Amino acid sequence: MKKLLFPILLGGSFGLLPMLSTAQTQSRGEVQDQEFVIRKDRVLTLPAQPRIFEKLPVLPQPKGLTDFNYMVSRYNLNLQPLQLAATPAQKNYQAPRMDLYPGFIRAGYGNFVSPLLEVRYMGTQVEDFNYSVQLNHQSFGQGPVLAEQSKESHTNLGVDGSYFADLFEVYGGLKWKQDSYQFYGFDTTLASNMDIDLTQIPGNVLNTVEVKAGIREIEKVGPFYYEGELSFRNFKDSYLAVENEFGIKGSGKFRANEDWSGKVDLDFYSTSPEDFNYAETRTYFGIKPTVSYNYGEFNFTAGLNVVSENDSIADKSSNLRVFPVLKASYQFAPEFGFYGSFTGDVNRNTYYSFVMENPFLGPTNRLLNTVNNYKIQAGIEGQFQESFHYRAGIDVSRYNQLYFFVNNYRIKVIDFSDEERFNLVYDDKVAVFNINAELGFKMSDIYTLGSRLDLYQYDLNQQAEAWHRPTWEFRVNNQVTPIERLIVQANLNFMGGIKARGASLGVEIGGPETYQVVKLKSIADLQLKADYGITERISIFAEGNNLLNGQNTRWLNYPVRGIQLVGGASFKF
């Protein structure tokens, strides 16, 4: 208690001093009464201090880093080098299972007495030597005119084989083909008053045997690629036409880097055709070097077509011809680009190629190649929405010895069957103007479409018309896979503006012989094909041609069959 009283008295003394000094200033020497209250029960307390205001503890200061020096001593040990022996890892890798069937057979039957047979067999084992055998046959026992008088048949049998070495492949093959046709394209307006049994008019059987052997490099992506082939073909018909051909074909490609590449093609053919009043040996030799350069989206190709051929043509200065090859394209964007070219070449023609185009060709006394003096092409192309692609262009070409097929009306009185056969005529100077457009569409694997339109205009020098050549063509091809294992194809083919040469109208004095011009109807052909796989091995199919039942006539007096239906099944073994 005494300890507490002393601080209180001391504090009160200090508090009294200002009061006394004030009183002295008010009235010096005056004494006033004062009252002091002392409370003994009062407790003084202080608020708790928050820890946030506590000072940080003082941490010890780190000592400075010092350099450490190590002494390394070398010890040379005479040890043998370590021998590492590689051992293969034993692991079973299961390759994906693929059911490969070496054999395939397809058979069917349709109207017009039309059996169909296709047989294929090939080696499926991974070996150095591989082979394949194929047989195809389709015939029509009846046709659009006099049933059996317009029948036809097609058969071919082929064998191919390949031997694979480490760097190259040696291949070869043998093929036999037979095509049989009846001459039924008579003019009923001229034959109506003639007492002729048309069923006795003979047909024509075309037999072809082809042999080939060659070598080519297996790796096609290296800096150099080569291939070469030897071939021989024998062709003859039921009359006197025979043609033998021996050919050598080679090609070499080199790639200096990703931008520069080059190519050299070599072709040599010796053909010996014989006919009723025609026999000659024709040779063709061509060297075609080109160099290509790619710079981004720009592509450029330059080269030459050097061709030597010995066809006999009036006022021919030389057998050697040289044509430039210039091609360029630039793709501004995937949606749009342009292309252009200026080229020339000699298009090789043989009696075999003519008959494959028009099987009703008769005897001929002149076979000529077609000289394409120049061909100028320009157009645009591109794709959009990653599904559509398009192409449109204009072509201007100049030809010498462009060929046409015309009916042989001249000797119909001597031999009526000659009226049904065609002959070859040529024009020495022809300019062809062509406008073309293509459009394609693909929707995954479900639907694909391809279409093309061509418009032609001919500027002739000797012939009155471009006989049997269309002035317009339009083609649409569709393929649909609506469900698994079902494939449906729908094709549309249109062709028009065809003019044929009719009977002779006589020869004007001092002028050429004139002929009747026959305008053929436009051709419209709808084709449908469907194939459904019942199992992995068995499937069924159905085909329909000329479903519009059009009276289509590609060659004068030769209407085609009406609606053709074929159905059947196929089997893998």
Side-chain angles (χ1 to χ4, degrees):
M1 181 66 181
K2 293 180 179 181
K3 293 179 180 181
L4 180 62
L5 180 62
F6 179 76
I8 296 174
L9 292 176
L10 184 60
S13 298
F14 282 103
L16 183 62
L17 287 179
M19 300 174 62
L20 291 177
S21 61
T22 304
Q24 290 177 2
T25 58
Q26 295 178 355
S27 177
R28 182 175 298 273
E30 184 179 0
V31 178
Q32 297 180 353
D33 295 333
Q34 299 290 335
E35 181 180 359
F36 297 92
V37 179
I38 299 174
R39 297 183 60 177
K40 296 171 55 178
D41 58 347
R42 186 169 183 173
V43 179
L44 298 177
T45 60
L46 296 175
Q49 184 179 5
R51 296 181 60 87
I52 191 173
F53 296 106
E54 291 184 359
K55 294 183 179 181
L56 295 175
V58 179
L59 299 177
Q61 297 296 326
K63 298 181 179 180
L65 298 176
T66 60
D67 296 334
F68 295 93
N69 297 323
Y70 297 92
M71 298 298 297
V72 178
S73 300
R74 295 182 178 274
Y75 296 93
N76 296 325
L77 301 177
N78 295 324
L79 299 177
Q80 295 294 330
L82 182 62
Q83 300 291 334
L84 297 177
T87 58
Q90 300 295 331
K91 186 175 181 180
N92 295 325
Y93 293 94
Q94 294 183 356
R97 185 173 181 269
M98 299 180 62
D99 293 330
L100 299 178
Y101 304 102
F104 175 82
I105 183 170
R106 183 169 179 255
Y109 192 82
N111 60 339
F112 293 101
V113 191
S114 55
L116 171 67
L117 178 64
E118 180 181 355
V119 181
R120 296 197 304 265
Y121 190 86
M122 63 180 298
T124 57
Q125 301 296 328
V126 181
E127 298 178 354
D128 295 338
F129 179 76
N130 199 358
Y131 65 92
S132 64
V133 181
Q134 182 174 352
L135 170 65
N136 293 287
H137 172 80
Q138 185 175 20
S139 61
F140 298 89
Q142 297 179 356
V145 177
L146 299 177
E148 294 185 0
Q149 179 58 26
S150 52
K151 62 183 179 181
E152 64 179 270
S153 175
H154 309 278
T155 305
N156 66 76
L157 174 64
V159 180
D160 292 286
S162 295
Y163 174 76
F164 298 92
D166 294 336
L167 300 177
F168 59 88
E169 173 194 359
V170 179
Y171 64 93
L174 173 64
K175 183 178 181 180
W176 169 80
K177 182 173 64 173
Q178 184 181 85
D179 300 294
S180 177
Y181 299 91
Q182 291 293 124
F183 293 116
Y184 63 92
F186 56 87
D187 189 347
T188 56
T189 59
L190 298 178
S192 57
N193 297 327
M194 296 184 181
D195 187 12
I196 298 178
D197 186 5
L198 300 178
T199 60
Q200 300 301 320
I201 299 177
N204 195 7
V205 179
L206 311 176
N207 288 284
T208 307
V209 177
E210 296 182 62
V211 182
K212 65 178 181 180
I215 183 174
R216 55 194 169 204
E217 187 186 11
I218 296 178
E219 298 292 338
K220 298 183 179 181
V221 295
F224 183 75
Y225 170 76
Y226 65 90
E227 62 178 332
E229 180 180 299
L230 300 176
S231 62
F232 174 79
R233 183 181 67 224
N234 171 262
F235 167 79
K236 63 180 180 179
D237 64 3
S238 299
Y239 298 90
L240 299 176
V242 178
E243 185 177 66
N244 295 318
E245 178 182 272
F246 173 76
I248 302 176
K249 182 171 62 175
S251 177
K253 302 178 183 178
F254 63 90
R255 185 180 293 105
N257 50 46
E258 295 182 355
D259 299 329
W260 289 93
S261 62
K263 179 181 179 182
V264 178
D265 293 332
L266 173 67
D267 298 288
F268 172 79
Y269 293 95
S270 177
T271 310
S272 301
E274 298 180 6
D275 211 328
F276 178 71
N277 54 357
Y278 177 80
E280 190 175 359
T281 299
R282 306 172 64 219
T283 59
Y284 175 97
F285 178 70
I287 301 178
K288 303 175 181 180
T290 57
V291 177
S292 299
Y293 174 69
N294 299 326
Y295 181 75
E297 301 300 329
F298 175 78
N299 299 318
F300 180 76
T301 300
L304 294 174
N305 288 339
V306 182
V307 179
S308 175
E309 46 88 22
N310 66 341
D311 285 347
S312 299
I313 303 174
D315 301 329
K316 184 178 180 181
S317 59
S318 174
N319 290 336
L320 181 65
R321 300 177 184 271
V322 181
F323 306 94
V325 176
L326 298 173
K327 300 179 181 179
S329 65
Y330 184 78
Q331 199 74 27
F332 290 98
E335 295 80 11
F336 179 77
F338 74 89
Y339 66 91
S341 66
F342 181 84
T343 61
D345 203 351
V346 176
N347 301 330
R348 199 171 66 91
N349 299 321
T350 63
Y351 188 78
Y352 174 80
S353 65
F354 287 137
V355 171
M356 291 297 102
E357 183 176 353
N358 185 351
F360 308 108
L361 182 64
T364 182
N365 56 5
R366 195 181 188 193
L367 297 176
L368 298 176
N369 295 321
T370 299
V371 180
N372 184 193
N373 294 286
Y374 62 81
K375 184 175 185 178
I376 303 174
Q377 294 180 299
I380 58 175
E381 60 183 350
Q383 62 179 6
F384 53 93
Q385 296 183 354
E386 297 182 356
S387 299
F388 293 89
H389 69 270
Y390 69 92
R391 181 184 177 97
I394 299 175
D395 302 350
V396 180
S397 304
R398 177 67 178 270
Y399 297 96
N400 295 138
Q401 289 77 246
L402 184 63
Y403 64 90
F404 303 93
F405 295 101
V406 295
N407 288 80
N408 190 0
Y409 277 103
R410 287 188 173 182
I411 54 177
K412 61 181 180 295
V413 178
I414 302 175
D415 186 353
F416 186 82
S417 63
D418 285 336
E419 176 192 331
E420 305 170 351
R421 303 164 78 175
F422 288 81
N423 200 0
L424 286 169
V425 294
Y426 300 89
D427 197 313
D428 60 346
K429 297 179 182 179
V430 179
V432 181
F433 182 77
N434 170 237
I435 299 176
N436 55 81
E438 298 181 13
L439 177 64
F441 172 73
K442 182 176 182 180
M443 185 177 65
S444 66
D445 294 331
I446 300 177
Y447 176 70
T448 58
L449 176 144
S451 60
R452 180 180 173 91
L453 171 66
D454 285 281
L455 303 176
Y456 300 97
Q457 181 179 344
Y458 302 90
D459 184 10
L460 307 169
N461 182 44
Q462 295 177 328
Q463 302 297 324
E465 299 289 347
W467 310 117
H468 281 104
R469 289 185 179 268
T471 58
W472 63 271
E473 291 183 81
F474 181 59
R475 299 179 294 274
V476 180
N477 299 322
N478 302 270
Q479 179 169 309
V480 186
T481 308
I483 60 176
E484 188 179 0
R485 296 183 181 180
L486 175 61
I487 299 176
V488 180
Q489 294 180 345
N491 304 321
L492 286 170
N493 297 306
F494 299 95
M495 183 183 300
I498 303 176
K499 296 180 181 179
R501 197 181 79 173
S504 174
L505 299 177
V507 179
E508 298 181 0
I509 299 177
E513 186 175 6
T514 58
Y515 298 89
Q516 179 186 6
V517 177
V518 181
K519 296 181 180 181
L520 302 182
K521 294 182 180 181
S522 298
I523 297 175
D525 186 10
L526 171 62
Q527 301 175 349
L528 290 178
K529 299 181 181 180
D531 191 295
Y532 178 70
I534 301 175
T535 65
E536 291 292 335
R537 292 173 175 261
I538 302 174
S539 63
I540 57 176
F541 70 91
E543 299 179 4
N545 296 312
N546 194 17
L547 296 180
L548 300 177
N549 198 23
Q551 299 295 320
N552 300 329
T553 302
R554 180 62 180 90
W555 309 108
L556 181 60
N557 299 328
Y558 278 92
V560 300
R561 290 175 293 273
I563 298 177
Q564 307 171 31
L565 301 175
V566 178
S570 62
F571 175 71
K572 300 177 183 178
F573 59 93

